Amino acid sequence: MGSVGLPSLAHATTIKPAPVKPNYSGLEGLTPGLSPWRDSTQGSFGNITQSPRPDWHYGDGATEGAVDPSITPHVEIDPFAEGRPMFSNYALMVSAIVPRPIGLVSTLSVDGKPNLAPFSYFQVVDHNPPMFVVGFAGRAGASKDTLTNLEATGECTINLVSEHMIEAANACSIDAPFGVSEWDICGLKQADSAVVRPARVQESVFSIEGKLVKIVDYDRESVGSPSRLGIIEGVRFWVREDAIDEQRKNVDLNVLRPVGQLGGISYSRTTETFKLPRTNWATASETKGLKELLGQR
């Protein structure tokens, strides 16, 4: 894959026609008679349980409920099969790779115009240094404003989306014409950043100030503008005071209440968690079960 460095900020970005965004609501209609939203802000966050099989031992494999592949086989899908629309791959992937965190990315154009857009092709990939990726899927027309701004200025903020701001974040996904601010459309408030110029989202419980490391080109054919990947280093964190512990290392889910994106127009929230400890080889290799399993080989 190829990569490009940061361009000089002295060069203004050429204004191109905004890309035409599909109406993704067509993937899935609203189900009639949905139950009203249940407020979960009162009391403790969710219910913490054991893992599905607390008595699981090394070598036990999948837990009860796993499907016998001889009864229910898998179906092979070639993403590049002749006649298979790109949108089918999109629908397949976003409905299977779930839940995905939502990064609400704030950027500025070279002339200072703010932009705010949500991305579920977003993830943390390292902690030392703090590194994040944002995927910019190719589409017909010009590049997304977020990518144009990020490539031109090298700065952004990434704001995590919680239950209390999901409608506003969703509104930012609209393909507003050039010059129309998503901040005005969604009603979220701008907060000053410390070391980058783009504003943080004040309502976000956890925000990251980021500086672009590089833009990676996939070097693969795509329809319309090419698909690209932004690699971003986190240079400042902002956490709501009531959400962080005294050691400044753990965020309270009772306050964060994260929202995950699923397929179509569906989202998820976490209302129950379970505990499943991890160990290392030195400890595990001394257990009776693993010793017996290794002795059988």
Side-chain angles (χ1 to χ4, degrees), residues 19-90:
V20 178
K21 182 174 183 178
N23 181 8
Y24 290 106
S25 62
L27 283 174
E28 176 188 350
L30 286 175
T31 304
L34 290 176
S35 300
W37 175 267
R38 292 195 301 273
D39 184 15
S40 63
T41 58
Q42 304 299 320
S44 179
F45 179 84
N47 179 38
I48 302 176
T49 71
Q50 296 178 331
S51 65
R53 276 280 303 280
D55 58 343
W56 188 93
H57 299 291
Y58 291 104
D60 279 357
T63 59
E64 293 180 6
V67 175
D68 184 345
S70 65
I71 300 174
T72 308
H74 287 76
V75 176
E76 178 183 357
I77 298 173
D78 179 356
F80 306 108
E82 184 177 355
R84 180 175 174 83
M86 171 277 296
F87 208 68
S88 295
N89 291 331
Y90 169 82

Side-chain angles (χ1 to χ4, degrees), residues 40-196:
S40 63
T41 58
Q42 304 299 320
S44 179
F45 179 84
N47 179 38
I48 302 176
T49 71
Q50 296 178 331
S51 65
R53 276 280 303 280
D55 58 343
W56 188 93
H57 299 291
Y58 291 104
D60 279 357
T63 59
E64 293 180 6
V67 175
D68 184 345
S70 65
I71 300 174
T72 308
H74 287 76
V75 176
E76 178 183 357
I77 298 173
D78 179 356
F80 306 108
E82 184 177 355
R84 180 175 174 83
M86 171 277 296
F87 208 68
S88 295
N89 291 331
Y90 169 82
L92 174 69
M93 293 172 62
V94 300
S95 63
I97 305 170
V98 294
R100 301 183 307 283
I102 305 168
L104 191 54
V105 181
S106 166
T107 57
L108 286 175
S109 65
V110 290
D111 55 356
K113 291 185 174 62
N115 183 267
L116 189 63
F119 290 84
S120 70
Y121 288 176
F122 153 72
Q123 190 53 269
V124 55
V125 293
D126 203 350
H127 60 276
N128 186 28
M131 301 296 290
F132 305 85
V133 291
V134 177
F136 299 94
R139 68 166 57 155
S143 299
K144 293 181 179 180
D145 291 341
T146 299
L147 174 58
T148 299
N149 295 345
L150 185 62
E151 192 170 15
T153 68
E155 296 183 340
C156 69
T157 69
I158 304 172
N159 307 270
L160 275 294
V161 175
S162 299
E163 293 178 6
H164 62 267
M165 55 186 287
I166 183 58
E167 289 90 355
N170 184 59
C172 292
S173 67
I174 193 171
D175 52 340
F178 184 81
V180 176
S181 172
E182 292 83 3
W183 290 91
D184 293 337
I185 292 173
C186 71
L188 294 171
K189 299 179 178 62
Q190 300 186 37
D192 291 337
S193 298
V195 294
V196 301

